[in-house]
Amino acid sequence: MTNPQTVREGGRDGVAPFRQKERSLFPAVLAPDDATLIARMGMGDKGAMAPFYARWEASVRTALFLKATDSMNTDDVVEDVFWHAWCQAKTFNPARVTAKKWLLDITRSVCTDRCRRAMRGDDRYGAW
């Protein structure tokens, strides 16, 4: 059987063709489950971060509870959350916690740290 990515329109063997443009729009749908992506991130696989980010970015933004006008800070915090997720991926244990809870715990931790820095006056990234 041929690789679906290489089949042209009206492909052979009844395999529906994938267009690269369509594939890039839905990386989270085509990606493996969260535990697999996090395990790959823990091994340093940079290709695992894009589908994980695409799948969870909206949930992290919703959890931030920031004002809509504060989009620059929101972007910084989201980036910081996923950076921490990348760094802590080796510690993820799917037998103990779900990926959603793990990521939202990281989100809470990052937000708490930023608020504490802002209260101390050590907020280099701007006040929340």
Side-chain angles (χ1 to χ4, degrees), residues 27-80:
V29 174
L30 300 173
D33 66 336
D34 295 323
T36 304
L37 290 173
I38 296 170
R40 287 175 43 198
M41 287 165 41
M43 292 185 290
D45 181 1
K46 294 177 185 173
M49 181 52 96
F52 186 75
Y53 182 90
R55 189 175 290 164
W56 289 105
E57 184 256 345
S59 295
V60 169
R61 281 187 188 279
T62 301
L64 293 178
F65 300 113
L66 293 176
K67 297 180 284 188
T69 59
D70 203 4
S71 62
M72 188 169 180
N73 257 346
T74 303
D75 292 341
D76 288 343
V77 176
V78 169
E79 183 179 324
D80 204 14

Side-chain angles (χ1 to χ4, degrees), residues 4-5 17-33 36-37 40 47 50-52 54-55:
Q5 292 178 339
F18 283 96
R19 293 183 193 101
Q20 189 61 32
K21 180 180 176 187
E22 291 171 357
R23 187 174 182 87
S24 65
L25 293 175
F26 302 104
V29 174
L30 300 173
D33 66 336
T36 304
L37 290 173
R40 287 175 43 198
F52 186 75
R55 189 175 290 164

